[in-house]
Amino acid sequence: MPHPLVQQSLGAILSLVPSSLFYLSARPFTAGRSIERAVAWAQSMQDRRFGTTLGLAGEDVRDTAQIARAAILYQLLFETTASLDVSADVAVKLSHFGVFYRRGRSIACDSLVQEYGIAKLQKLALTAHAYRIRLWIDAESLMSRELTWKIV
């Protein structure tokens, strides 16, 4: 794992990169820049008998407004996938919901932000289950296992 100063420097540099350049470099791994395009891509993969896992870009969410926005986007992803009868798994990152780990310790801007994020993730897990969508919680750290079990 890189030194924290290196990670911080890379984060600062990447934040200066225009999103269009970032999108070009990530394009082979990106299903689309909108939920509709991503679900259409998943449909084309399903038609070819490939399975897919969809997720939303964005991490380092640090306040309840950003968490609420992420939850709404995931809800729309579930609804769009289900309404078009597309079979796709969905992956979420804990850091997309205000939960971060550094050196094996859970950190958050505020414990209330983290609790809010966990509550939103729990609700999303129930919603995914209702839509028969397999929800993956990315293991960003081995230390997140206990929290992942708390969510599910």
Side-chain angles (χ1 to χ4, degrees), residues 55-75:
L56 299 172
E59 296 182 44
D60 294 337
V61 171
R62 298 191 180 267
D63 64 45
T64 56
Q66 292 173 318
I67 292 169
R69 180 169 159 36
I72 289 168
L73 290 172
Y74 278 103
Q75 178 72 32

Side-chain angles (χ1 to χ4, degrees), residues 117-135:
I118 291 168
K120 286 292 187 183
L121 275 168
Q122 288 170 328
K123 185 175 179 184
L124 280 174
L126 292 172
T127 304
H129 180 73
Y131 281 116
R132 297 178 171 247
I133 294 171
R134 185 178 304 166
L135 185 68

Side-chain angles (χ1 to χ4, degrees), residues 2-12 103:
H3 187 275
L5 185 57
V6 172
Q7 286 182 318
Q8 185 178 11
S9 299
L10 286 174
R103 293 190 177 156

